[in-house]
């Protein structure tokens, strides 16, 4: 069973009164959280694959909290396949996770990604995640959980407005140009 299937099939396992199958939250409107997972490649890129796996592991871990707080999560997996799409999405680095429009890693740091370089035949830098002062090629599960819980408990603030003068980074432009059929 995949992590994605685990999240969808999870049920409450607590023994608290009115838990499993109850209508305790029936009169409370469900709140929505939208998570956008944007990436360049899931077939080869180890950073994108690891981020995908970690995202679903984090969701599985907070499933009971989401249920208890009557929060429904939608995950949009978005393969960014062109410079135009990157511009429309304000996609500055791969991979990216946004919770209700906010990038969970506001500072963009990158390092050479051999997987994506092998894919396109050029040097490509991909995101490095910084959490608690350390750098990771894949976001730590705790980092994703922190972002989700900030949204659940309302301390995330207002969504970040897209920058009107956004420019697709040269790094991504090279990647997309290298992926174009030659000739």
């Amino acid at each position: 069973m995949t992590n994605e299937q685990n999240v969808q099939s999870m049920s409450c396992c607590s023994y608290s009164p009115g838990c499993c199958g109850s209508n305790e939250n029936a009169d409370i409107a469900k709140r929505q959280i939208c998570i956008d997972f944007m990436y360049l490649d899931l077939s080869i890129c180890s950073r994108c694959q690891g981020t995908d796996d970690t995202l679903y592991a984090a969701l599985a871990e907070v499933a009971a909290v989401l249920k208890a707080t009557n929060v429904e999560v939608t995950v949009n997996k978005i393969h960014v396949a062109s410079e135009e799409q990157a511009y429309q999405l304000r996609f500055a680095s791969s991979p990216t996770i946004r919770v209700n429009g906010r990038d969970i890693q506001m500072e963009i740091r990158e390092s050479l990604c051999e997987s994506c370089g092998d894919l396109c035949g050029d040097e490509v830098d991909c995101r490095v995640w910084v959490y608690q002062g350390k750098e990771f090629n894949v976001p730590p599960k705790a980092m994703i959980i922190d972002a989700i819980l900030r949204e659940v408990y309302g301390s995330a603030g207002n969504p970040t407005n897209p920058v009107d003068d956004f420019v697709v980074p040269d790094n991504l432009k090279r990647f997309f140009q290298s992926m174009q059929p030659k000739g």
Side-chain angles (χ1 to χ4, degrees):
M1 185 179 293
T2 67
N3 286 333
E4 213 167 334
Q5 291 167 327
N6 284 338
V7 171
Q8 293 171 352
S9 66
M10 290 190 72
S11 63
C12 180
C13 59
S14 139
Y15 293 100
S16 61
C19 186
C20 296
S22 84
N23 287 332
E24 184 177 312
N25 290 331
D27 294 333
I28 303 170
K30 274 205 181 290
R31 290 185 299 148
Q32 302 290 316
I33 291 179
C34 178
I35 298 176
D36 293 323
F37 167 48
M38 296 177 276
Y39 58 90
L40 290 177
D41 177 77
L42 280 178
S43 65
I44 293 174
C45 180
S46 58
R47 293 185 195 194
C48 291
Q49 291 169 346
T51 300
D52 186 39
D53 292 342
T54 304
L55 172 60
Y56 284 102
L59 286 168
E61 195 149 321
V62 297
V65 171
L66 296 171
K67 182 174 180 171
T69 56
N70 210 27
V71 173
E72 184 174 270
V73 173
T74 301
V75 174
N76 299 310
K77 291 173 75 167
I78 304 166
H79 174 225
V80 182
S82 69
E83 185 177 334
E84 294 78 25
Q85 187 181 15
Y87 177 78
Q88 290 170 345
L89 295 169
R90 305 303 198 244
F91 180 70
S93 187
S94 181
T96 291
I97 297 174
R98 292 183 186 153
V99 177
N100 283 351
R102 279 177 291 285
D103 196 320
I104 69 167
Q105 175 73 68
M106 294 308 294
E107 176 187 5
I108 295 177
R109 289 191 197 175
E110 297 178 316
S111 67
L112 184 64
C113 178
E114 293 176 3
S115 300
C116 285
D118 291 346
L119 180 67
C120 75
D122 199 351
E123 287 190 359
V124 177
D125 292 335
C126 286
R127 181 169 285 208
V128 173
W129 304 86
V130 179
Y131 184 67
Q132 296 183 344
K134 296 180 182 172
E135 290 187 355
F136 302 88
N137 284 341
V138 172
K141 182 169 52 170
M143 178 184 200
I144 298 171
I145 290 171
D146 282 349
I148 293 169
L149 292 179
R150 275 194 309 272
E151 195 63 36
V152 168
Y153 293 112
S155 63
N158 295 325
T160 305
N161 292 326
V163 179
D164 288 333
D165 59 348
F166 177 82
V167 176
V168 175
D170 290 339
N171 179 50
L172 291 175
K173 287 180 182 180
R174 278 193 321 275
F175 176 83
F176 294 124
Q177 288 169 353
S178 296
M179 293 299 290
Q180 294 295 317
K182 307 295 185 241

